[in-house]
Structure formats: C-alpha cells, structure tokens
C-alpha cells in the first residue's frame, strides 16, 4: 500500500524544468533569478519582507510588502532600487528604522558594493518610466 509520502514523492518526480521538456502532459516549472537579502540593525529580528520585480516591457518596478509594513517602508525603496541596478527579482527583509535615512543610505551602499563584487549588477541600470 502506497503512503501519502510515497504519493508526494511520485508527483515531485514528475515535475520537470520547462526548458528540458516539450510534451504538454508534464507540470512545468519556470526558474527565476532571485536574490534573497536580509538587512538588520541592532537586533536579529527578521523585519518587514518586501518582494520586487521588473515589469516587462515598460521597465517599471513593482514592489509589494509580503510580511509586515507598508509600501512606504525603508525596505521597499531599497528593493526597488536593487531591481533597477541588478535586473533580478529581489526578496528583501529589512529591519532598519524608518526615520534614519543616513543609516538606510549606508546599508544600501554597502549592499551595492557587495553585489558589484559578486557580479550581480547590470552594466546599464533599468530606467523606470
């Protein structure tokens, strides 16, 4: 008798990456390029979680607050600018106080420097219209 765990394993084994298959009977999974970032200040709290992505074809950036906070939080601005500089989807957890723009700028500058070192930035950033 097949257990529920065995059934799940059977279905997972049938999932194939979309680039590798051509038949229409299989489940298709698309791979996305994403960067997961956590910025903390004074504690190990997770903070507000924001997701940002570029919208094609008009080169605008869409940001949403996934956990806590609102769209005007510090993390949403950083996530938006990171998408424009990298072209990748950004998942950002941010625990920076809202009333400290100098701290926000320094954290973003350090993060951009690290992304440049890792080769994640675009040669020409996206221009929001």
């Amino acid at each position: 008798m097949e257990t529920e765990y065995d059934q799940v394993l059977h279905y997972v084994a049938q999932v194939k990456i979309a680039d590798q298959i051509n038949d229409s009977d299989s489940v298709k999974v698309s791979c996305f390029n994403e960067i997961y970032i956590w910025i903390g200040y004074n504690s190990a709290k997770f903070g507000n979680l924001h997701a940002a992505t570029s919208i094609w074809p008009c080169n605008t950036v869409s940001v949403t607050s996934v956990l806590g906070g609102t769209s005007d939080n510090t993390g949403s601005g950083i996530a938006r600018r990171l998408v424009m500089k990298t072209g990748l989807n950004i998942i950002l957890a941010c625990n920076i106080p809202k009333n400290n723009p100098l701290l926000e700028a320094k954290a973003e500058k350090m993060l951009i420097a690290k992304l440049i070192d890792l080769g994640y930035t675009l040669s020409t950033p996206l221009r929001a219209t």
Side-chain angles (χ1 to χ4, degrees), residues 23-51:
D23 61 4
S24 61
D25 294 335
S26 299
V27 175
K28 296 182 181 180
V29 177
S30 298
C31 295
F32 299 102
N33 292 328
E34 298 174 334
I35 298 176
Y36 299 90
I37 301 167
W38 174 75
I39 300 173
Y41 176 74
N42 270 352
S43 73
K45 287 185 179 179
F46 187 68
N48 300 323
L49 183 65
H50 301 279

Side-chain angles (χ1 to χ4, degrees), residues 22-123:
N22 290 325
D23 61 4
S24 61
D25 294 335
S26 299
V27 175
K28 296 182 181 180
V29 177
S30 298
C31 295
F32 299 102
N33 292 328
E34 298 174 334
I35 298 176
Y36 299 90
I37 301 167
W38 174 75
I39 300 173
Y41 176 74
N42 270 352
S43 73
K45 287 185 179 179
F46 187 68
N48 300 323
L49 183 65
H50 301 279
T53 188
S54 61
I55 305 298
W56 184 84
C58 54
N59 288 339
T60 59
V61 177
S62 177
V63 181
T64 188
S65 181
V66 179
L67 274 176
T70 59
S71 61
D72 68 341
N73 279 63
T74 301
S76 64
I78 293 174
R80 180 182 312 279
R81 291 185 292 273
L82 288 176
V83 168
M84 292 186 342
K85 291 178 182 175
T86 64
L88 300 172
N89 299 324
I90 302 292
I91 309 296
L92 174 70
C94 187
N95 187 22
I96 296 177
K98 186 176 178 179
N99 59 355
N100 198 336
L102 294 176
L103 182 61
E104 176 185 353
K106 183 170 181 158
E108 186 174 350
K109 186 176 179 181
M110 291 172 60
L111 182 56
I112 292 296
K114 185 66 172 177
L115 292 174
I116 289 170
D117 288 344
L118 295 172
Y120 280 111
T121 55
L122 294 172
S123 56

Side-chain angles (χ1 to χ4, degrees), residues 9-31:
L9 287 179
H10 174 72
Y11 290 121
V12 169
Q14 292 178 353
V15 175
K16 300 174 185 171
I17 303 300
D19 296 335
Q20 299 174 356
I21 61 172
N22 290 325
D23 61 4
S24 61
D25 294 335
S26 299
V27 175
K28 296 182 181 180
V29 177
S30 298
C31 295

